[in-house]
Each structure stands twice: as C-alpha cells, then as structure tokens.
C-alpha cells in the first residue's frame, strides 16, 4: 500500500474552513470580557458579566435541572 501525497491546497482550504468556523467564537469569547455594554469598541477588561451570571439563582437552578436530566438520560 502506497500512501498518496497530501495536497498543500487541501491543507490550505481546510485551514481556511476552520478559521471561518472558529474565528467568530474566539471574538465572542474575547468580547465577553469587555467592560462596555456594546461590543463595538473595547472599553477595558471586566469579569462583571460573569459575576452577574453566577449570582443569578434562577439560572443556576435551571443549570442544575439540566445537568440532572442529562445525567439521568446518560444513565438510561
């Protein structure tokens, strides 16, 4: 069995596809630490959004319920 040589064009297209798919996620994560309410301009680093998220009792209850359902479904 002889291995076919890999095409550099295929590698370039694959890299472009992955960049197209993951670049918006990276930008979204980066701007989730933005101090400003609008993501149009960077206004400084903050963790306030995450503090507010973790302080929301109703959201944490919903997360707990979702994890219970997921674990029960996996066990079944």
């Amino acid at each position: 069995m002889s291995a076919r040589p890999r095409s550099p064009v295929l590698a370039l297209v694959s890299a472009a596809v992955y960049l197209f798919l993951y670049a918006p996620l990276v930008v979204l994560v980066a701007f989730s630490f933005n101090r400003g309410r609008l993501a149009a301009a960077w206004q400084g680093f903050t963790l306030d959004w995450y503090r507010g998220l973790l302080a929301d009792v109703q959201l944490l209850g919903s997360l707990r319920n979702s994890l219970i359902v997921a674990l029960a479904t996996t066990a079944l």
Side-chain angles (χ1 to χ4, degrees):
M1 289 170 64
S2 64
R4 290 181 21 192
R6 294 187 181 177
S7 169
V9 174
L10 179 62
L12 183 63
V13 170
S14 298
V17 167
Y18 281 116
L19 181 67
F20 178 77
L21 290 174
Y22 288 110
L25 296 175
V26 171
V27 171
L28 183 68
V29 169
F31 273 97
S32 73
F33 296 104
N34 188 6
R35 184 179 307 274
R37 289 193 62 76
L38 299 175
W42 183 261
Q43 296 179 359
F45 183 84
T46 186
L47 292 173
D48 291 340
W49 302 109
Y50 292 101
R51 275 191 211 107
L53 181 70
L54 294 175
D56 188 351
V57 176
Q58 186 177 5
L59 181 71
L60 291 177
S62 300
L63 177 63
R64 182 179 53 83
N65 290 341
S66 295
L67 289 175
I68 290 170
V69 170
L71 288 173
T73 302
T74 301
L76 289 174

